[in-house]
Amino acid sequence: AVVSTQSTAMRYPDVTAEGSLKNRTTVCAGYANLFKALCDVAGVKAVYISGYSKGHQFNKTLPLEQQMRHAWNAFKANGHWYLLEITWAAGHMDMERQLFVRQHSDF
């Protein structure tokens, strides 16, 4: 789920790869850190990317600086770089019930 930095600090205090595994719950930063750590162990070149997305809670009337921060990865395979959005592939937010629904998606 994509949440603000302030709520991330309150609800998910440890978004490291280790913390995400230990707590069994995380947000985009935790997913991206975990993917990067796994790539490091496997010898795959990967980077952590932080920025903004037009995903959950995006509001086109707000300036970029007031949008939700997001994190994802890029990795190199067969000489080419690919973007990977592992958080959104894990599920989606059910806004009516205010919960994250775990549901794999290749989108």
Side-chain angles (χ1 to χ4, degrees):
V2 180
V3 298
S4 71
T5 304
Q6 183 178 12
S7 10
T8 300
M10 290 184 296
R11 292 180 52 207
Y12 303 97
D14 187 354
V15 293
T16 64
E18 297 82 5
S20 297
L21 284 173
K22 178 183 170 190
N23 296 325
R24 298 179 51 100
T25 185
T26 194
V27 292
C28 57
Y31 278 107
N33 283 324
L34 180 56
F35 181 81
K36 170 75 169 82
L38 292 171
C39 285
D40 290 347
V41 169
V44 174
K45 186 162 179 84
V47 294
Y48 174 101
I49 302 170
S50 178
Y52 301 93
S53 69
K54 287 187 175 180
H56 174 66
Q57 294 185 340
F58 177 77
N59 182 336
K60 66 182 177 180
T61 64
L62 294 175
L64 187 60
E65 301 77 31
Q66 293 179 18
Q67 299 292 341
M68 295 289 185
R69 301 278 306 165
H70 191 55
W72 61 96
N73 300 92
F75 68 97
K76 190 172 186 178
N78 300 320
H80 300 281
W81 281 95
Y82 298 91
L83 293 174
L84 175 73
E85 205 327 320
I86 199 165
T87 305
W88 292 348
H92 64 276
M93 284 296 297
D94 180 330
M95 297 310 293
E96 285 184 23
R97 298 185 310 175
Q98 289 295 301
L99 59 88
F100 185 76
V101 178
R102 290 184 174 116
Q103 181 179 15
H104 174 77
S105 169
D106 290 331
F107 60 88

